Amino acid sequence: MRKFIYALMISGVVILAGCSLPQMVKLAQDQELTVVPNPLEVHADTVNFEMSAVLPVKMLKKGKVYQLNSFYVYGNDELALETIEFKEEDYPNAKTDQPREKQSYAFAYNPAMKKGNLEVQGVALNPKNGNNKTTERLAVAPGIITTSKMVQPVYYSAYADHGYNNQEELVPTNINFFFDRGRSELKYSERTSDRGKFFEAFIAEKNVTRTVTITGMHSPEGTETINTKLSENRAKVIEDFYRRNMKKYDYKGLSDSINFILKPINLDWAAFKKELEAYDGITSEQKSEYLNIINGSGDFVSKEKDLRKLSTYNKVFRDVYPKLRTAKTEVLTVMEKKTDAEISVLAKQISSNAADADTLSHQELLYAATLTPSLSEKAAIYGAAVKKHDDWVSHNNLAAVHIAMAAEDEGSANSHIEKANTHLETSAKKKESAEAHINMASASLMAGNAAKAYDHLKKASSMSPSNDAQKGLNGVKAAIEIMMARYGDAVRSGSAAEQTADNLFNKGLAQLLNKEYQNAANTFGEVTEMDGDYAAAYYAAAIANARQNKLDGVVSNLRKAGAADPDLRSVALEDLEFVKMLDDPSFREALK
């Protein structure tokens, strides 16, 4: 009898054990699965999400395991993900408390995955014998949001400074005339001296002149009245000399454009101090005696009287004072330059070998390339500069042109990138520059290496680029930072970038991805004010409004996006950003 009862007990245990797996599967129908974010999202070429699983009480059975297997299913493909595992022994209170687990997931994104489903299948498992029961597959997240992929690639061609000043430049010519003590007449010996002859010949050349500044000066001796008149009269006599010669050489209307500035220096010790400092006829201690008097109390005349009492006065009077009895003249004339039109013509001739490269200076040749909008003409001119001068600026700027050409023509982009890299390597060997690193960044980004491009941008930033180059750099940097999912950094870079439509769009996209939804909507509005046909900006503004549950903003922006690019209407119907609004009549009407 005992054996029979025992046998029945064993049989009952087997039956109960065999029933536990189906029971677990049945109870699994009440499991709670939460996926965040839902729908899934791609950032920096990776889909990251978190799944939380909460099982019903009493679902776990002794000695059994429950597994949650996850799959991302797209098209005819399937990607198996990590398993969440519940073991009964890990949850001693499973009869009263719900077992909970949380798992983080990440998988590499490819465009084919945009449409798909995250599916979960439960497996009740007996580890001892391998028996198992499975639940039906359950779709827990529909597809992947790809808003981060809307980033606009930005490339910047950084041209090194050509070194040419195309603005008016003034050249100073300085002549000093000297006078006898207490006199203001311009002596015959001064007029016929080398200085006088040079000055008259200079005036005779009729140089385009802007100003003639004449500073009349006097030595310290004499009364205040006499010294004041000397300074004024000495300046005036040089002006008269200049005007007589203009009349002599028939300046006619040219003289009306010349501004004469007379600057009489009266009762001032500055010039004397300067000459005394340079004078080596007395000792430094003796010089200090003069300075003590000059810097002390008393008026100009009394100080001059005190100087006369010094033992070295006669020597200073003889050697230093005559240098102060002068009229210093500075004439500012306009530097002679070729016109932009002349430079352009000559540069084209040089680049086609119709003129010698020496026809223009190196700076003029580099400047000529900035005068044409044609990239092919720029390339020819910079190519001529490379042949003639082989300097880092010419190589860098030729590389910059090839980068611009690559951005314009995808079909020949690889060839242009290769040429750009060749010249950038040469430029960097001759001189490492911020411009070259910025161009290397653009070339690397075009080649698909965002990480390498980012390293070049960091190097360029450390080299104190020009303001314009820094703004261009920031535009490229913002685009890369979006690609790297560094959205806060991208907002800052975009805010400091050159205000182009693409840069503003990327700034708005970074704000959107950084959850600054209203700021993003405002920035996209700036883009469409700048370019009313920028369809992607209207579309992204619709997303910003969708994330704020603003249906009116979604509808109005999608309508404008569809008008600018009709293909976006069908895109929006499948975009999970708008999944909550798919059934709204106004939403669907906007996409007709």
Side-chain angles (χ1 to χ4, degrees):
M1 183 66 178
R2 289 182 181 177
K3 290 182 180 180
F4 177 72
I5 293 174
Y6 181 74
L8 288 176
M9 291 176 64
I10 294 296
S11 175
V13 170
V14 171
I15 292 171
L16 288 174
C19 292
S20 60
L21 296 181
Q23 289 175 349
M24 290 174 67
V25 168
K26 183 177 181 180
L27 288 171
Q29 295 177 6
D30 295 326
Q31 65 189 351
E32 299 173 14
L33 301 178
T34 304
V35 176
V36 178
N38 192 349
L40 305 181
E41 299 176 7
V42 57
H43 299 281
D45 293 324
T46 302
V47 178
N48 290 283
F49 66 94
E50 189 175 80
M51 185 188 296
S52 300
V54 181
L55 304 184
V57 295
K58 300 181 181 180
M59 176 178 161
L60 293 180
K61 305 302 180 182
K62 187 174 182 179
K64 307 301 185 292
V65 174
Y66 182 69
Q67 296 176 337
L68 279 171
N69 296 323
S70 299
F71 311 86
Y72 188 74
V73 181
Y74 58 102
N76 296 322
D77 294 310
E78 175 178 282
L79 178 66
L81 304 173
E82 292 87 350
T83 295
I84 298 178
E85 189 170 80
F86 292 85
K87 293 181 179 179
E88 182 271 340
E89 60 265 29
D90 294 335
Y91 299 91
N93 300 320
K95 291 184 178 180
T96 57
D97 296 334
Q98 291 180 297
R100 300 171 183 271
E101 282 290 344
K102 185 181 292 186
Q103 176 73 46
S104 294
Y105 297 84
F107 61 87
Y109 173 79
N110 71 67
M113 292 177 170
K114 182 176 181 179
K115 294 180 182 179
N117 280 299
L118 177 64
E119 297 181 357
V120 173
Q121 184 174 47
V123 179
L125 176 67
N126 186 341
K128 291 182 179 179
N129 57 23
N131 289 339
N132 65 82
K133 292 288 183 180
T134 61
T135 68
E136 293 184 1
R137 282 201 182 190
L138 176 67
V140 292
I144 299 172
I145 285 176
T146 59
T147 300
S148 66
K149 294 299 179 182
M150 292 180 69
V151 58
Q152 299 298 303
V154 172
Y155 311 111
Y156 181 75
S157 293
Y159 294 94
D161 184 35
H162 46 70
Y164 180 75
N165 183 1
N166 67 323
Q167 302 300 310
E168 180 177 282
E169 287 186 87
L170 299 178
V171 180
T173 300
N174 296 284
I175 303 290
N176 295 342
F177 289 103
F178 296 92
F179 297 84
D180 288 338
R181 177 186 178 191
R183 306 296 295 270
S184 59
E185 294 83 7
L186 186 59
K187 298 181 294 184
Y188 175 80
S189 60
E190 285 292 296
R191 296 196 305 271
T192 58
S193 66
D194 290 342
R195 297 188 309 280
K197 291 177 180 178
F198 170 82
F199 198 42
E200 183 173 346
F202 175 83
I203 298 171
E205 290 175 357
K206 295 184 181 180
N207 298 289
V208 180
T209 303
R210 293 288 178 254
T211 62
V212 179
T213 302
I214 308 168
T215 304
M217 300 173 60
H218 63 81
S219 55
E221 79 279 9
T223 65
E224 292 184 18
T225 304
I226 292 173
N227 285 331
T228 300
K229 289 181 179 180
L230 279 175
S231 296
E232 293 174 354
N233 292 339
R234 286 170 177 170
K236 187 67 172 64
V237 77
I238 301 303
E239 179 187 8
D240 293 342
F241 175 79
Y242 201 110
R243 289 188 181 278
R244 284 196 305 273
N245 277 283
M246 286 196 299
K247 187 175 181 180
K248 176 181 177 180
Y249 294 108
D250 195 21
Y251 264 58
K252 294 183 179 179
L254 294 175
S255 60
D256 296 336
S257 63
I258 301 176
N259 181 26
F260 282 86
I261 302 170
L262 304 187
K263 296 170 61 177
I265 303 298
N266 300 314
L267 311 181
D268 186 277
W269 292 102
F272 176 76
K273 287 181 179 180
K274 184 176 180 180
E275 292 294 340
L276 184 68
E277 182 180 4
Y279 180 52
D280 59 4
I282 60 176
T283 66
S284 58
E285 289 78 10
Q286 290 167 332
K287 290 181 182 180
S288 296
E289 294 176 344
Y290 285 86
L291 295 176
N292 289 336
I293 293 171
I294 292 169
N295 296 330
S297 59
D299 59 20
F300 186 88
V301 175
S302 64
K303 289 180 180 180
E304 202 281 325
K305 289 180 179 178
D306 289 339
L307 293 183
R308 296 181 189 181
K309 301 174 184 178
L310 298 176
S311 61
T312 58
Y313 177 78
N314 289 336
K315 189 173 186 180
V316 170
F317 181 83
R318 184 184 67 247
D319 296 340
V320 177
Y321 276 34
K323 297 178 182 179
L324 305 175
R325 302 170 189 142
T326 184
K328 296 183 176 181
T329 306
E330 180 182 70
V331 184
L332 294 180
T333 55
V334 177
M335 181 185 293
E336 188 175 343
K337 295 183 180 181
K338 299 178 184 69
T339 66
D340 285 359
E342 290 171 331
I343 291 174
S344 291
V345 170
L346 292 172
K348 290 178 183 178
Q349 292 175 350
I350 292 171
S351 62
S352 62
N353 296 317
D356 189 89
D358 291 333
T359 307
L360 293 176
S361 70
H362 183 40
Q363 288 73 24
E364 286 174 328
L365 187 58
L366 293 175
Y367 172 64
T370 70
L371 300 176
T372 175
S374 168
L375 291 178
S376 60
E377 289 181 5
K378 287 180 186 290
I381 294 171
Y382 285 131
V386 164
K387 288 180 181 178
K388 179 64 178 177
H389 300 282
D390 192 33
D391 65 314
W392 76 270
V393 174
S394 301
H395 282 284
N396 175 81
N397 290 2
L398 182 53
V401 175
H402 282 296
I403 288 170
M405 287 177 161
E408 282 195 357
D409 184 3
E410 291 185 7
S412 60
N414 289 338
S415 174
H416 286 301
I417 293 170
E418 184 177 347
K419 291 175 182 177
N421 284 328
T422 298
H423 287 290
L424 289 171
E425 288 174 9
T426 303
S427 179
K429 286 178 182 177
K430 293 178 179 296
K431 179 185 175 182
E432 190 175 18
S433 66
E435 292 86 356
H437 279 289
I438 295 172
N439 290 326
M440 288 174 183
S442 290
S444 296
L445 185 57
M446 286 177 172
N449 194 335
K452 185 177 180 181
Y454 200 69
D455 288 341
H456 280 301
L457 293 179
K458 289 191 293 184
K459 181 65 175 178
S461 290
S462 71
M463 300 178 74
S464 302
S466 69
N467 187 52
D468 287 344
Q470 184 66 57
K471 288 181 179 180
L473 179 159
N474 285 332
V476 182
K477 188 164 174 275
I480 295 175
E481 285 166 340
I482 293 173
M483 297 173 189
M484 299 170 71
R486 298 174 59 168
Y487 302 130
D489 291 339
V491 171
R492 287 185 286 274
S493 296
S495 298
E498 182 183 3
Q499 295 296 287
T500 65
D502 283 346
N503 283 341
L504 273 175
F505 177 84
N506 284 342
K507 173 187 172 183
L509 182 62
Q511 291 169 325
L512 172 62
L513 297 168
N514 204 42
K515 304 186 189 309
E516 302 173 32
Y517 301 132
Q518 190 54 52
N519 287 341
N522 294 340
T523 302
F524 293 132
E526 292 180 41
V527 177
T528 54
E529 285 180 12
M530 183 181 294
D531 181 356
D533 294 325
Y534 206 120
Y538 292 118
Y539 190 90
I543 294 175
N545 279 276
R547 293 197 179 189
Q548 298 177 87
N549 295 313
K550 294 181 178 180
L551 179 61
D552 290 345
V554 172
V555 169
S556 64
N557 279 289
L558 282 182
R559 186 174 287 116
K560 294 173 184 176
D565 182 358
D567 289 343
L568 290 178
R569 293 169 181 157
S570 58
V571 172
L573 285 171
E574 297 181 349
D575 194 335
L576 295 172
E577 291 279 13
F578 306 114
V579 67
K580 296 179 181 178
M581 302 173 181
L582 281 176
D583 296 329
D584 189 280
S586 61
F587 175 83
R588 302 194 74 84
E589 180 67 26
L591 299 176
K592 287 184 178 179

